[in-house]
Amino acid sequence: MISLYPLVYNVVLSTRYDVLTQPGTSHFVGLGNYQQILSNAHFWADMGRTGIFMVVSVTLEFVAGLILALVVHQQFKARGLVRASILIPWAIPTAVSALLWKMFFDTRSGFVDFALHALHLPGANMVWFNSPTLAWVPIIVSDMWKNTPFIALLLLAGLQTIPLEIYESARMDGASAWQSFRSLTLPLLRPAIMVALIFRTLSALLVFDVVYVLTGGGPGQSTEVIAYYDWYKYLVSLNFGVGATVAVIITIFALALAALYVRLLQQRGEFLS
Amino acid sequence: MKTWLGRAGFNILVVLIILYSLFPFYWVFKSSLESSIALNQPTSSIWPLQWTWVHYQVIFAVENFLRPLLNSMFVAGSATVISVILGSMAAYGLARMPIRGKVLILGFILLVSFFPQIAMVGPLFLVFRHLHWLNTYQSLIVPYLILSLPITTWILTAFFSQIPADIEEAAMVDGASIRQTIVKVFAPIAMPGIFTAAILGFLLSWNDFLFALSFIQSPNMQTVPLALVNFRNAYYVHYGQIYAGVVVASLPIALIVLFLQRRIEAGLTAGSVKG
């Protein structure tokens, strides 16, 4: 119930004009805030950027996570060590991980430029945070470093439920490793893949810490995402009517993902077993 | 030939993965030991130059980094204890008793864990402002409960459902009271599950940045992530201090993860919770 309260409060607030710096001017405006927001180019630009970030970061993290999971699923000597070491970045607070990558990408105290230079790769001596497109690189790298382990873990759990015998029989039937990966592993891993994708998509939709710490939405507005926009409306502009309106819109998207997840669990018959 | 090549490739992949996960930590540790002069020059070596402990001394003596550490521990600790107690009670009920609308309740719990944190910031800010709670511990403990309670309840329900009810029934048949059954028979078996839920709940609160950023302004009340980010917001960027602070704040977490890796993995997959 405590958690339902903010939700309802948002819906109420979103129909009001309510700016804290103008006490006494709060009044009912109906759907006025929605009208204002939905015709606001700034809002749509942020939604677009959030969408692109979701697609790019989730895709990259999924591919990296799948590779990690497949490697750790093999039997080898240092397996325990690898499993533990991939978990450590996941346990670091997102804001701290972003702070670290901010420094790693710095020319003076970081290693990114040093490494690019040493490997004779392009990109050395780059001022990453001054370019509207390049500023996304540290954001995505930081997000990947922190979140890939989570995807890897969920996929690994999925891999472990696949019985080894089916691979044996596939090999007997003359299937190559790639063939059995494509027609056995991937389909059987589908439930785990779906769960991982839903959770990652949700947190990519809500990405805030990384952007706040690394770029503050800049340069200009070029890395501003929807959660940052909402936070700014709430706590910098102190415009709670508009802030709540954006929050309601974000919540609708999040609940759509939740509905997808519940349907998935029901299909698998795992909901309440 | 082919298998030899395959094995070599695989080993290289393993090394790359370990580097990818752990090299950043090496860099943090190395940089935390370097003098500010070395840190402000272009990076020239992967080994530390001009060793010094001064950053560690400064963060405790000058910046009072102990305070955010204690704040974080207290806030995340309190939220964890409360959410594990409430979560265990709810989960026991959900796992054991034939409650009508159980599916609905579990569905609702799941839905709550999908609520966007950003959407809670505004309403909670107004409520806390009204209660004069801004800059207090309770302005973090309450939101952290909202974050961790659904997830601990969900994980614990999954764990408790796996424990066969026969064990408790046998104890009851032998004349144990309900309380005795729960305390002496059920609790010991359930402990690993409760422990897992507690670690995940604790990490969730410990890692929060958004709520702390929104409800805390006073330097004395900052949590660890907020304090570290604010080292940077000063006029001058104190790289060495941030690096030393990250080492101090991450060491306990890294140890927890190393020792309790199996537990954490079990919890993450049992609950399929968000990370």
Side-chain angles (χ1 to χ4, degrees):
Chain A
M1 282 304 118
I2 317 175
S3 42
L4 213 54
Y5 181 78
L7 202 70
V8 176
Y9 198 172
N10 262 330
V11 175
V12 175
L13 266 177
S14 72
T15 62
R16 298 187 66 83
Y17 178 86
D18 195 336
V19 183
L20 279 197
T21 45
Q22 304 162 9
T25 60
S26 171
H27 60 273
F28 181 75
V29 292
L31 294 177
N33 286 328
Y34 289 93
Q35 221 163 29
Q36 192 201 324
I37 275 296
L38 292 177
S39 59
N40 184 337
H42 192 127
F43 167 79
W44 285 111
D46 285 0
M47 286 296 266
R49 272 187 287 269
T50 310
I52 295 171
F53 173 78
M54 277 160 70
V55 173
V56 174
S57 70
V58 174
T59 309
L60 289 174
E61 283 159 22
F62 174 71
V63 173
L66 186 61
I67 296 174
L68 272 181
L70 287 171
V71 167
V72 178
H73 188 51
Q74 309 296 317
Q75 293 293 339
F76 60 96
K77 251 190 224 151
R79 186 159 174 250
L81 176 75
V82 176
R83 276 175 81 152
S85 67
I86 62 170
L87 247 189
I88 298 179
W90 166 82
I92 296 298
T94 313
V96 174
S97 131
L99 186 60
L100 290 181
W101 284 99
K102 171 127 192 154
M103 298 190 294
F104 296 157
F105 271 92
D106 185 281
T107 18
R108 284 164 304 172
S109 75
F111 63 77
V112 174
D113 281 300
F114 176 65
L116 290 175
H117 200 75
L119 299 170
H120 299 288
L121 288 172
N125 300 322
M126 195 92 88
V127 187
W128 296 89
F129 298 99
N130 282 354
S131 151
T133 37
L134 288 179
W136 281 102
V137 174
I139 294 181
I140 300 227
V141 170
S142 164
D143 197 67
M144 265 188 85
W145 184 65
K146 150 102 190 165
N147 291 318
T148 306
F150 175 71
I151 295 195
L153 271 187
L154 290 185
L155 295 183
L156 179 63
L159 282 173
Q160 284 167 340
T161 61
I162 303 176
L164 286 173
E165 294 86 52
I166 60 166
Y167 289 107
E168 302 262 323
S169 45
R171 201 176 315 139
M172 303 256 228
D173 293 342
S176 71
W178 173 244
Q179 275 172 331
S180 60
F181 173 73
R182 275 207 46 191
S183 43
L184 286 178
T185 312
L186 277 185
L188 287 169
L189 205 55
R190 218 182 99 93
I193 291 175
M194 289 301 290
V195 173
L197 287 184
I198 289 174
F199 280 115
R200 284 308 314 146
T201 309
L202 177 73
S203 52
L205 167 72
L206 305 175
V207 63
F208 174 84
D209 298 7
V210 187
V211 171
Y212 178 90
V213 173
L214 276 168
T215 64
Q221 192 203 333
S222 57
T223 57
E224 194 176 290
V225 288
I226 196 64
Y228 187 86
Y229 180 70
D230 197 13
W231 182 81
Y232 197 89
K233 284 287 169 213
Y234 269 138
L235 288 176
V236 182
S237 314
L238 296 173
N239 190 336
F240 280 76
V242 171
T245 308
V246 179
V248 169
I249 296 171
I250 298 175
T251 308
I252 291 171
F253 278 101
L255 291 185
L257 281 169
L260 201 66
Y261 183 57
V262 170
R263 263 198 63 185
L264 193 79
L265 289 183
Q266 276 171 340
Q267 276 171 1
R268 284 155 68 190
E270 273 187 15
F271 200 58
L272 253 194
S273 46
Chain B
M1 178 61 194
K2 203 183 163 196
T3 50
W4 177 83
L5 208 68
R7 196 174 305 159
F10 183 78
N11 286 335
I12 291 171
L13 202 58
V14 169
V15 171
L16 280 179
I17 289 173
I18 296 182
L19 273 180
Y20 167 78
S21 311
L22 298 184
F23 181 75
F25 289 106
Y26 164 73
W27 198 263
V28 171
F29 182 63
K30 170 236 165 198
S31 304
S32 75
L33 293 173
E34 278 189 331
S35 73
S36 292
I37 300 165
L39 285 173
N40 275 307
Q41 275 158 7
T43 313
S44 57
S45 162
I46 67 163
W47 308 113
L49 309 164
Q50 307 179 20
W51 284 52
T52 168
W53 289 101
V54 71
H55 302 306
Y56 289 92
Q57 287 161 1
V58 170
I59 57 168
F60 286 109
V62 183
E63 297 284 348
N64 196 11
F65 192 60
L66 190 63
R67 183 71 198 241
L69 277 173
L70 293 175
N71 286 344
S72 268
M73 270 180 225
F74 178 71
V75 173
S78 313
T80 308
V81 169
I82 301 172
S83 88
V84 165
I85 293 174
L86 294 179
S88 302
M89 297 198 290
Y92 189 78
L94 284 169
R96 283 290 181 267
M97 304 186 182
I99 304 172
R100 274 204 300 166
K102 200 150 112 174
V103 180
L104 257 162
I105 298 175
L106 276 175
F108 180 72
I109 293 173
L110 191 72
L111 213 62
V112 168
S113 70
F114 270 82
F115 282 175
Q117 219 183 321
I118 182 72
M120 300 178 197
V121 165
L124 288 176
F125 182 87
L126 291 181
V127 172
F128 292 159
R129 195 174 87 114
H130 184 73
L131 294 171
H132 299 287
W133 270 20
L134 293 174
N135 281 315
T136 62
Y137 287 127
Q138 58 270 33
S139 75
L140 292 180
I141 296 175
V142 170
Y144 292 169
L145 271 176
I146 301 180
L147 287 186
S148 57
L149 196 52
I151 279 152
T152 42
T153 310
W154 183 258
I155 295 177
L156 286 171
T157 309
F159 271 114
F160 289 180
S161 305
Q162 285 166 6
I163 301 174
D166 311 3
I167 302 172
E168 292 145 77
E169 277 160 19
M172 302 272 254
V173 170
D174 288 347
S177 69
I178 293 181
R179 171 178 295 205
Q180 279 174 327
T181 311
I182 292 179
V183 173
K184 295 225 167 110
V185 179
F186 184 77
I189 308 174
M191 244 350 177
I194 294 176
F195 199 55
T196 302
I199 303 168
L200 290 177
F202 183 83
L203 283 178
L204 211 59
S205 308
W206 178 272
N207 288 356
D208 165 75
F209 178 67
L210 182 54
F211 284 146
L213 176 72
S214 307
F215 306 142
I216 301 294
Q217 273 104 42
S218 146
N220 267 336
M221 299 302 291
Q222 289 182 348
T223 55
V224 167
L226 193 59
L228 287 172
V229 170
N230 284 341
F231 276 168
R232 196 197 80 203
N233 285 356
Y235 177 65
Y236 175 78
V237 186
H238 301 282
Y239 291 110
Q241 293 171 27
I242 301 175
Y243 280 125
V246 172
V247 171
V248 172
S250 307
L251 217 55
I253 299 296
L255 288 178
I256 291 179
V257 171
L258 281 177
F259 286 110
L260 304 173
Q261 169 217 352
R262 304 255 151 196
R263 283 274 146 74
I264 295 173
E265 285 184 15
L268 276 176
T269 45
S272 286
V273 293
K274 48 182 177 178

